[in-house]
Amino acid sequence: MVELLVTLAGAGLIAALAWFFFGSRSADGAELRSGRQEVEVIVKGGYSPNLIRVREGVPLRMVFDRQEAGDCTSRVVFPDFAISRSLAPFARTTVEFTPQRSGEFGFACGMNMVHGTLLVEPNSQGNGDPAGNGSDSDDLMPPETAIQAEVAEAVGVGPTREVGKPTEVELRLRPGGISCASCVGKIEGAVLGLSGVDRAAVNMATERVTVAYDPEQLGVEQLREAISLAGYELLEQRPPGNSEADDDAEATARRAEVADLGRRVTVGVILTAPVLFAVMANDVFKAGWVPNILLNHWLQLALIAPVMIYTGWPIHRTGWLSLRHRSADMNTLITIGSTAAFSYSLLVTVFPGIFPGDLRNVYYEAVGVILTLILLGRLIEVRAKAGTGEAIRKLIGLQAKTARVVRDSGEKDIPAEEVVPGDIVVVRPGEKVPVDGEIVEGRSTLDESMV
């Protein structure tokens, strides 16, 4: 009977987790909320719904819930409204605009293979209220306004127009803040979900986030807030032109990260080693000389609890934040597994009588080993990135800081970044010609016999 109950409980938990992560999040039709029309579109092999009926002159908010990857649906284009927006995989992206004229307007993916239709009906009331009641309450739109269809005739639209050139900014993540490819997707999804963001890209190696956005719709602080809410920390944003200060700040942050991970790994190794040694010697090698005190559940709990809380905190922090946003990554997997093992072992330690005799095993050593090894791997990765960053900074330091150019019938030294196309640069003995330069005049001092 107990086995049946445990099996049913496990099956129910698995079903709940499956719904939590993969359950449908489809919305009803377009709704009027505080004077704005809202509709959600599922992007999975197509647009669902792909025929949407709205009112003219009323602000429209379309939330694209992209439940797939690949290049085909990575962008949605509304050519008649001069809108082109990137859609992050397995994330929600918001597109907001006001249809100012009635008619039938198509929208499509960036490759012009998936199509949808936006039917904009004249707003006969003329007051910005599709329901015609002049209210700002969260009432549903009338049935004739919220019509949706799953099949629509292809309208043949494509990415024919782009919005004006957006502003680009680069944000620096805290060193060691991202640990797997799903972190990249989460950050890009969080940023692309903001209105006014055209595209976002995360470089996992350099831990930088590059965002192209419309400064008239949002600012850098909103971008930083979205990334922070997704569970990832950023370094302080500095004004342009402080590259050396930025490099110093990043190097300082990376050294602090290495030191912090080093302390956590050291605690994990010291506290896990005796528990692992005792369990392996007793269970695997059947050694009878293992002191009973090392096999005591309360002692193992006292040793592994700090490992669970202190050593594993960087993993748990990101893992639980991912769960809160109904997503998962490597940190989530480790958090769920270690929490389950630690919680079960804690119950066996505190209330052993509620379990049958053959189910009173504890798994403290597994918790300690997993968390310590994961943090050790992260420490090695951060140290490697720190070495790579230092090498790049040294190479950048070899660049010329000034250049001697011919201007106003004379030579003058100016900062290298102020050199513009068309300048004549004087290359003195011992200096090198720029790789993108063209020699217009000069002579060699080498002896012809050496040539």
Side-chain angles (χ1 to χ4, degrees), residues 41-52 62 64 68 72-80 87 104-119 149-160:
V41 180
I42 305 297
V43 183
K44 189 173 183 180
Y47 300 122
S48 177
N50 53 15
L51 177 62
I52 304 170
M62 300 183 67
F64 288 86
E68 61 185 4
C72 181
T73 57
S74 62
R75 180 172 288 273
V76 62
V77 181
F78 293 79
D80 298 288
L87 303 180
E104 182 175 314
F105 307 100
F107 60 94
C109 67
M111 300 178 68
N112 199 26
M113 297 176 64
V114 178
H115 303 89
T117 304
L118 190 66
L119 300 178
E150 296 299 330
V151 179
E153 182 180 356
V155 294
V157 301
T160 57

Side-chain angles (χ1 to χ4, degrees), residues 173-188 202-205 207-208 230 232 314-315 318-319 322 327-334 374 377-378 381-382 385:
L173 293 162
R174 178 181 59 81
I178 54 177
S179 56
C180 58
S182 61
C183 296
V184 173
K186 284 176 58 183
I187 296 174
E188 292 179 350
V202 177
N203 189 317
M204 186 174 175
E207 298 178 309
R208 303 290 179 97
Y232 299 90
I315 299 172
T318 306
S322 298
S327 61
D329 57 12
M330 183 186 71
N331 296 293
T332 308
L333 174 65
I334 299 169
I374 293 296
R378 190 168 297 182
E381 177 186 9
V382 172
K385 287 182 178 179

Side-chain angles (χ1 to χ4, degrees), residues 141-163:
M141 296 176 64
E144 67 272 16
T145 306
I147 295 177
Q148 299 181 5
E150 296 299 330
V151 179
E153 182 180 356
V155 294
V157 301
T160 57
R161 285 191 289 172
E162 291 279 349
V163 182

Side-chain angles (χ1 to χ4, degrees), residues 246-299:
D246 287 345
D247 291 341
D248 291 341
E250 185 172 349
T252 301
R254 198 172 293 280
R255 286 194 296 269
E257 180 72 12
V258 170
D260 180 68
L261 289 176
R263 289 191 296 268
R264 296 180 187 274
V265 170
T266 300
V267 170
V269 171
I270 293 175
L271 297 181
T272 302
V275 180
L276 177 63
F277 171 76
V279 172
M280 293 294 290
N282 183 73
D283 294 348
V284 178
F285 300 104
K286 307 300 180 183
W289 45 263
V290 177
N292 289 331
I293 186 64
L294 292 179
L295 298 175
N296 183 273
H297 292 175
W298 286 101
L299 176 64

